[in-house]
Amino acid sequence: MSYSEFEIIARYFNRFSSSRYNVEKGIGDDCALLNIPEQQTLTISIDTLVENVHFFVDMHPTDLAYKALAVNLSDVAAMGASPAWVTLSITLERINETWLELFSTSLFKTLDDYNIQLIGGDTTHGPLSLTIGIYGLVPVGFSLKRSGANLGDCIFVTGTLGDSAAGLSLLRKQYYVRDLIVYDTLIKRHLRPVPRISQGQALRNLATSAIDLSDGLLSDLTHLLTASKVGACLNLEALPLSIELQNNFESKQALIWALSGGEDYELCFTVSEINRNIVATVMNSFGIPCTCIGKIITESEGLVLLNNGKPIEFNNKGFDHFNV
Amino acid sequence: MSYSEFEIIARYFNRFSSSRYNVEKGIGDDCALLNIPEQQTLTISIDTLVENVHFFVDMHPTDLAYKALAVNLSDVAAMGASPAWVTLSITLERINETWLELFSTSLFKTLDDYNIQLIGGDTTHGPLSLTIGIYGLVPVGFSLKRSGANLGDCIFVTGTLGDSAAGLSLLRKQYYVRDLIVYDTLIKRHLRPVPRISQGQALRNLATSAIDLSDGLLSDLTHLLTASKVGACLNLEALPLSIELQNNFESKQALIWALSGGEDYELCFTVSEINRNIVATVMNSFGIPCTCIGKIITESEGLVLLNNGKPIEFNNKGFDHFNV
């Protein structure tokens, strides 16, 4: 059966999703039309996922749709913004109805869960890839940025680190665990990362800088340090590792994943010493850990890793698509 | 030489381009931050171009960068909006420095020509494709939409039709012309379409509906008719054909290209009879033709083609990526 671009959009992507009052025109014109509420700053982020680079050909379309959105929502979370609209550009090698049905159902479920409206996009023919644009709103002056970290600030991370990389290693059959519950937990951390939207919003008045952890702690923290023109000292023994990671893998491997595994989609942010306890209280109310893992130091000191007080070297700088 | 994603962005895409006062944060954070002026509606459009589907492997990167932007600018023009910002997601098979240098130079030149700022994007590894997001502004209540055409409205098109398809046929060596100036003119119409930004803005108070011609007149006009719930009667002898097209191709082939060739990126719009002469005057001030090619009729009458008053059948509905 042959579908045209317009038929694919009509059949799978032009559903009624969460409908937001400030969308004057969604799908179906040359552009979408949006009326931004007063005193709100618009946030825009675009991410492309390519088959066999960012995901494998056998990734279930239900997981793919979820994760593609979650990855973008994580960028919105890192700005302290509230997600509002999404555009989807999808390039398909061929039309597989089951695949499209599963993909679009999962997409719209996730959009509804976050009260986000699909406002436009593009369906084209070619090697499978997805480009998602996500648009959020944050009150003027309250966005979190990578720049802004100050000398002496505490460095926090939400959740636990390294689980996603461990899950990926299980999916790739590079490692095995006996316990199926552990297996499922770690796989889920890789396939179903939870964007820290609420936490990002709660940090609007508290964090001095923030970034989400997509490429790995060391790589992403380095971006934050560069933007803020500061250095950092991390205490490796303070890194939050899940029970699943600690009990099923060698501690050295767990540490490598926590530092550079990537795709955890937790938030890394800085807070002035005076707000440290408030942050711990506020963030713990969300039911996931929030851990101080180090301090901001001067730019000339660089990025220092301490293992129980002793400096160590670490060369793996995290996942980078062109250098892997 | 191996470049990382960050190095490619830094080297080729993080240049100083037109800088706009309402960009709080451009490239370099998890999201771009934009402060939309009051009483302006935001327009968003996303387009993906895939190698060997939308452009050929031998397309010069200078032309590719220009055309990728022009195609998106044409969507902004069709809304009567003013382009403001762009995001570029580029997927590269490999790093070719000369290609990247030519592509990015052409991209930034075009951005500067239109006073548009590159605010973000993504560089990934995979089969060559480009996804461009374009963001524009239009005063609240003044956007042009596909819906809005009324019974009796005149249907206008800007420029001449079919030149782009003729240019493509020359590039593909399906046709030949003797005159090199004709060759260059038609090739340029294919590779360097001029988005009708100023014309779109001039139509804000005049047109009842508008669309840009990307897939071909019949295909795009059908979208406008569907959105407006009306039909149309076109006078084929009124279709504006360039001298180059008329003098170098059979009239039947020229007509096919004008009706369904695609990629002309002219505007097609409707105007109430009372404004017909004003529109002709306003639009002619831009120095390109603007021609009334027919009338809006009732939806039940459908799309009627008249050749010197006689109805004719035409089945080629234009270019559609999955059905070609």
Side-chain angles (χ1 to χ4, degrees), chain A:
Chain A
M1 187 178 274
S2 166
Y3 285 112
S4 75
E5 174 185 348
F6 308 115
E7 285 164 342
I8 294 169
I9 293 171
R11 189 177 173 103
Y12 295 106
F13 295 112
N14 199 4
R15 301 191 193 178
F16 286 100
S17 63
S18 298
S19 178
R20 298 182 64 110
Y21 68 96
N22 34 21
V23 177
E24 186 177 330
K25 184 77 205 172
I27 292 174
D29 216 305
D30 290 299
C31 297
L33 291 171
L34 303 169
N35 292 305
I36 309 296
E38 277 182 38
Q39 293 302 310
Q40 298 277 319
T41 296
L42 175 72
T43 71
I44 298 184
S45 176
I46 306 279
D47 255 314
T48 297
L49 301 179
V50 181
E51 188 179 63
N52 294 327
V53 178
H54 303 89
F55 62 91
F56 292 102
V57 63
D58 60 355
M59 188 166 182
H60 197 283
T62 302
D63 289 329
L64 179 59
Y66 173 85
K67 189 165 173 179
L69 274 177
V71 165
N72 277 272
L73 286 167
S74 182
D75 284 321
V76 176
M79 307 302 285
S82 173
W85 313 291
V86 154
T87 54
L88 170 70
S89 307
I90 185 165
T91 303
L92 298 166
E93 190 79 50
R94 62 190 174 283
I95 306 306
N96 178 320
E97 288 185 66
T98 311
W99 192 95
L100 275 167
E101 181 64 38
L102 291 167
F103 180 88
S104 59
T105 300
S106 171
L107 182 85
F108 281 96
K109 178 176 184 318
T110 311
L111 292 176
D112 283 344
D113 287 346
Y114 286 92
N115 188 27
I116 304 170
Q117 184 172 349
L118 182 68
I119 53 161
D122 199 6
T123 308
T124 51
H125 184 206
L128 180 59
S129 78
L130 306 168
T131 297
I132 288 184
I134 194 148
Y135 310 94
L137 298 170
V138 58
V140 169
F142 283 94
S143 62
L144 303 174
K145 300 195 185 88
R146 295 180 182 179
S147 56
N150 300 308
L151 203 61
D153 282 359
C154 298
I155 302 166
F156 278 88
V157 290
T158 60
T160 54
L161 302 181
D163 297 333
S164 175
L168 180 60
S169 81
L170 297 178
L171 278 173
R172 285 183 176 175
K173 304 194 195 312
Q174 293 162 336
Y175 287 85
Y176 297 89
V177 289
R178 284 178 193 281
D179 187 336
L180 266 183
I181 297 174
V182 170
Y183 181 87
D184 287 343
T185 302
L186 292 174
I187 297 291
K188 197 176 166 199
R189 289 278 288 160
H190 181 70
L191 296 177
R192 295 266 168 173
V194 179
R196 304 305 185 191
I197 302 280
S198 305
Q199 287 91 332
Q201 291 173 10
L203 289 170
R204 280 174 190 165
N205 277 315
L206 292 170
T208 51
S209 70
I211 191 168
D212 75 315
L213 299 180
S214 52
D215 296 332
L217 176 63
L218 292 187
S219 176
D220 292 315
L221 178 60
T222 299
H223 297 317
L224 185 150
L225 300 178
T226 304
S228 294
K229 299 191 173 71
V230 293
C233 175
L234 295 186
N235 304 309
L236 298 191
E237 71 280 6
L239 291 183
L241 304 182
S242 68
I243 295 294
E244 290 80 5
L245 203 61
Q246 290 183 52
N247 289 354
N248 293 279
F249 298 90
E250 282 185 17
S251 60
K252 192 180 163 194
Q253 182 60 67
L255 190 61
I256 290 172
W257 281 332
L259 287 172
S260 66
E263 300 209 65
D264 282 317
Y265 298 106
E266 297 294 346
L267 296 183
C268 176
F269 58 94
T270 57
V271 172
S272 64
E273 182 64 38
I274 203 168
N275 282 327
R276 179 179 177 162
N277 291 333
I278 301 173
V279 163
T281 308
V282 169
M283 296 303 276
N284 284 330
S285 70
F286 294 105
I288 60 151
C290 188
T291 314
C292 176
I293 59 169
K295 288 262 181 188
I296 293 296
I297 56 180
T298 63
E299 189 172 21
S300 59
E301 292 173 281
L303 177 53
V304 178
L305 305 184
L306 297 181
N307 195 13
N308 293 305
K310 277 191 237 159
I312 65 157
E313 292 287 330
F314 188 81
N315 282 321
N316 189 337
K317 279 194 148 190
F319 187 69
D320 187 330
H321 302 306
F322 283 100
N323 277 340
V324 166

Side-chain angles (χ1 to χ4, degrees), chain B residues 244-297:
Chain B
E244 290 81 5
L245 202 60
Q246 290 184 52
N247 288 355
N248 293 278
F249 299 90
E250 284 184 15
S251 61
K252 191 179 164 195
Q253 181 60 65
L255 191 61
I256 290 172
W257 281 332
L259 287 172
S260 66
E263 302 210 64
D264 281 318
Y265 299 105
E266 296 295 346
L267 296 182
C268 175
F269 58 95
T270 57
V271 172
S272 63
E273 183 64 38
I274 203 168
N275 283 325
R276 180 179 173 159
N277 291 334
I278 301 173
V279 162
T281 308
V282 169
M283 296 303 275
N284 284 330
S285 70
F286 294 106
I288 60 153
C290 187
T291 314
C292 176
I293 60 170
K295 288 261 181 191
I296 293 296
I297 56 180

